[in-house]
């Protein structure tokens, strides 16, 4: 009788641990892990009644089409979760967020187009992630930022046309990556991937199958074979002009800066203006070819050729003016700090305020003069509005008498 009671007591203790849905088979592995084998059971959803200490859950090759927040609430200790070869098309946010012990996650061969990437933020111990053979058309740059232990990442056979630069940063343990058989558009947005593959120690499986589908001139070529001359990072140069060709001139002092850029594809020009009272960002021109201002409320006039004009420049407009050149390869910027002089000799003003500053012997810069490329970083420019009588005595040396004279205190040209 005593042995029978012992057996019954033991069964009572182990019963909850070995709880197993009728459609699954459960067993304890030699390493003590509890396996719930539910593959090839024609299941349409995650079965209920799983033991809370299941560490390996196999649900491959079923007909599961949906995963919700509570799908794995019964198995918080799961370490390996196999869900390949189902029909999963919907994954609700929070589905995997609480599975903090997860090391292996297989979602391959499903119909996933949208995935709650934020769920991966809690899975810092994840080592293998298989998302291949789905319908992923894109993923955020920081999708994998928390996966410090990730060793193997499978993204092949999806619908990815591009990848954001830095997608595989912050993955110190990554040793295997599969991204082949995706319809990559080999614009310069993926040029970084070529450079990354040239320098990484990560094994990129079947790299030759990572081919371009577009543009037509690169179709069929490997992503790693994008020509270098096809993508060139921007360069930018900031130049002072004393007037604007073919544009209306304004009364009073007009500050004019010209931003010249180069790169492939041709960079877009953007401006940032930071004064004591405002912070303005302008993307693209706001002055049409006929001279009309598209944004009448904007006092900063931006022309298509990269020129900026600020009519009636005053003390309120003093500040930092930054030109940015942006294309698919990268971004470059150059800044100038502009101040308005308060006397007839702007160099004296500058030296009085900053004894360490240098100047160009009082020489004024005329249209086309460039700023010295030798210096790096932000420069200080003093704009001086000469009195009309002083300009007359100058014998016409300064064109456009209603404009001011520019004196460069720390260098002549800004470039990057």
């Amino acid at each position: 009788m005593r042995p029978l009671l012992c057996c019954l007591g033991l069964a009572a203790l182990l019963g909850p641990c070995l709880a197993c849905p009728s459609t699954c088979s459960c067993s304890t592995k030699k390493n003590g892990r509890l396996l719930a084998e539910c593959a090839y059971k024609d299941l349409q959803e995650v079965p209920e009644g799983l033991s809370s200490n299941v560490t390996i859950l196999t649900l491959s090759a079923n007909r599961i089409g949906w995963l919700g927040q509570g799908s794995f609430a019964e198995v918080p200790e799961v370490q390996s979760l196999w869900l390949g070869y189902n029909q999963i098309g919907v994954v609700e946010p929070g589905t995997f967020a609480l599975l903090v012990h997860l090391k292996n996650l297989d979602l391959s061969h499903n119909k996933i187009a949208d995935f709650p990437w934020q769920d991966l933020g809690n899975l810092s111990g994840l080592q293998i992630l298989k998302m291949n053979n789905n319908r992923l058309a894109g993923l955020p740059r920081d999708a994998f930022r928390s996966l410090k232990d990730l060793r193997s990442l499978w993204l092949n056979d999806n619908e990815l046309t591009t990848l954001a630069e830095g997608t595989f940063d912050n993955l110190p343990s990554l040793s295997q990556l599969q991204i082949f058989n995706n319809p990559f558009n080999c614009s310069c947005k993926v040029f970084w991937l070529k450079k990354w593959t040239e320098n990484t120690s990560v094994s990129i499986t079947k790299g030759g199958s990572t081919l371009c589908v577009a543009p037509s001139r690169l179709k069929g070529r490997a992503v790693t074979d994008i020509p270098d001359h096809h993508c060139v990072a921007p360069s930018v140069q900031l130049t002072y002009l004393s007037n604007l060709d073919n544009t209306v001139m304004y009364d009073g002092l007009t500050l004019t800066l010209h931003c010249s850029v180069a790169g492939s594809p041709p960079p877009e020009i953007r401006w940032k203006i930071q004064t004591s009272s405002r912070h303005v960002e302008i993307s693209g021109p706001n002055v049409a070819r006929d001279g009309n201002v598209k944004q009448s409320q904007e006092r900063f006039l931006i022309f298509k050729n990269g020129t900026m004009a600020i009519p009636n420049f005053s003390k309120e407009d003093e500040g930092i003016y930054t030109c940015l050149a942006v294309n698919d390869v990268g971004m470059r910027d150059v800044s100038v700090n502009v101040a308005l002089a308060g006397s007839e000799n702007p160099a004296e003003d500058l030296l009085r305020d900053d004894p360490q500053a240098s100047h160009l012997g009082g020489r004024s810069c005329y249209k086309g003069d460039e700023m010295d490329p030798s210096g790096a970083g932000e420069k200080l420019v003093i704009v001086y509005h000469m009195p009309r009588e002083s300009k007359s005595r100058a014998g016409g040396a300064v064109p456009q008498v209603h404009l001011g004279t520019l004196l460069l205190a720390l260098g002549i040209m800004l470039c990057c």
Side-chain angles (χ1 to χ4, degrees):
M1 178 64 70
R2 183 172 297 175
L4 177 61
L5 291 175
C6 290
C7 290
L8 291 175
L10 184 60
L13 290 173
L14 294 179
C17 297
L18 297 176
C20 191
S22 58
T23 52
C24 305
S25 60
C26 301
S27 61
T28 302
K29 308 293 285 183
K30 290 182 179 180
N31 56 12
R33 295 180 180 178
L34 185 60
L35 167 65
E37 177 62 68
C38 310
Y40 296 95
K41 300 297 183 181
D42 206 33
L43 298 174
Q44 297 186 34
E45 60 184 14
V46 178
E48 296 181 354
L50 290 163
S51 175
S52 61
N53 59 352
V54 165
T55 55
I56 304 172
L57 177 56
T58 302
L59 288 162
S60 305
N62 282 292
R63 294 194 297 122
I64 299 172
W66 170 89
L67 296 175
Q69 290 187 21
S71 293
F72 306 106
E74 292 182 336
V75 288
E77 303 294 324
V78 68
Q79 298 179 19
S80 296
L81 182 54
W82 310 109
L83 288 156
Y85 293 93
N86 275 280
Q87 299 177 18
I88 300 169
V90 177
V91 183
E92 288 187 352
T95 297
F96 303 106
L98 299 180
L99 303 182
V100 296
H101 301 286
L102 206 56
K103 294 183 178 180
N104 306 301
L105 176 59
D106 180 8
L107 287 162
S108 63
H109 295 273
N110 279 287
K111 301 177 180 180
I112 301 171
D114 295 308
F115 185 79
W117 299 105
Q118 65 274 17
D119 278 19
L120 301 182
N122 291 335
L123 310 185
S124 58
L126 197 64
Q127 297 178 8
I128 297 175
L129 176 59
K130 294 185 177 183
M131 308 235 7
N132 54 293
N133 294 87
N134 275 284
R135 299 176 181 176
L136 298 173
L139 58 152
R141 179 186 182 277
D142 58 353
F144 312 117
R145 69 183 185 280
S146 300
L147 307 183
K148 304 300 182 183
D149 292 337
L150 190 68
R151 295 185 287 104
S152 182
L153 176 60
W154 299 34
L155 294 169
N156 55 285
D157 293 277
N158 274 285
E159 298 177 9
L160 299 171
T161 58
T162 188
L163 289 170
E165 184 171 1
T167 297
F168 307 121
D169 290 352
N170 303 315
L171 295 176
S173 302
L174 189 65
S175 60
Q176 181 189 32
L177 174 65
Q178 297 192 173
I179 54 173
F180 58 90
N181 290 346
N182 278 290
F184 282 111
N185 181 341
C186 292
S187 69
C188 293
K189 290 182 179 180
V190 297
F191 186 67
W192 71 271
L193 186 58
K194 171 187 176 176
K195 296 298 184 183
W196 183 79
T197 56
E198 291 173 349
N199 297 293
T200 185
S201 60
V202 176
S203 173
I204 303 175
T205 308
K206 296 186 178 180
S209 298
T210 309
L211 304 179
C212 305
V213 172
S216 57
R217 66 180 180 276
L218 296 177
K219 185 175 181 179
R221 295 183 67 169
V223 172
T224 54
D225 197 27
I226 300 175
D228 287 350
H229 68 270
H230 180 64
C231 302
V232 180
S235 62
V236 58
Q237 176 178 299
L238 195 56
T239 310
Y240 169 73
L241 302 176
S242 60
N243 66 6
L244 290 171
D245 290 338
N246 303 321
T247 59
V248 176
M249 300 310 299
Y250 299 87
D251 294 333
L253 173 65
T254 298
L255 173 65
T256 307
L257 297 172
H258 180 71
C259 188
S260 300
V261 300
S264 179
E268 171 191 354
I269 295 177
R270 303 174 186 172
W271 290 92
K272 289 185 178 181
I273 301 102
Q274 178 68 63
T275 69
S276 60
S277 60
R278 72 175 81 187
H279 180 78
V280 179
E281 296 187 12
I282 306 173
S283 296
N286 60 14
V287 179
R289 289 186 177 182
D290 58 7
N292 292 326
V293 181
K294 297 178 183 178
Q295 301 172 0
S296 58
Q297 78 279 8
E298 191 62 75
R299 69 174 265 89
F300 303 105
L301 306 179
I302 311 298
F303 297 84
K304 188 176 181 179
N305 68 350
T307 296
M308 173 195 286
I310 305 98
N312 299 310
F313 189 85
S314 66
K315 295 289 286 185
E316 292 181 356
D317 299 312
E318 290 182 329
I320 298 174
Y321 289 74
T322 301
C323 173
L324 301 95
V326 183
N327 69 7
D328 291 340
V329 186
M331 183 271 290
R332 295 291 186 276
D333 66 80
V334 62
S335 299
V336 62
N337 194 343
V338 182
L340 189 63
S343 72
E344 293 190 10
N345 192 333
E348 291 180 358
D349 274 359
L350 174 63
L351 293 174
R352 181 169 58 249
D353 294 337
D354 184 2
Q356 301 301 318
S358 61
H359 63 90
L360 304 178
R363 182 177 67 86
S364 298
C365 296
Y366 298 98
K367 179 180 178 181
D369 286 345
E370 296 182 338
M371 303 184 217
D372 186 3
S374 59
E378 181 185 308
K379 306 295 181 180
L380 176 63
V381 173
I382 288 189
V383 182
Y384 176 53
H385 193 191
M386 294 176 65
R388 291 181 181 273
E389 57 271 19
S390 298
K391 295 173 183 177
S392 299
R393 288 196 300 269
V398 181
Q400 300 294 339
V401 295
H402 59 283
L403 293 177
T405 301
L406 180 69
L407 180 68
L408 303 178
L410 300 174
I412 311 178
M413 180 174 61
L414 305 173
C415 64
C416 183

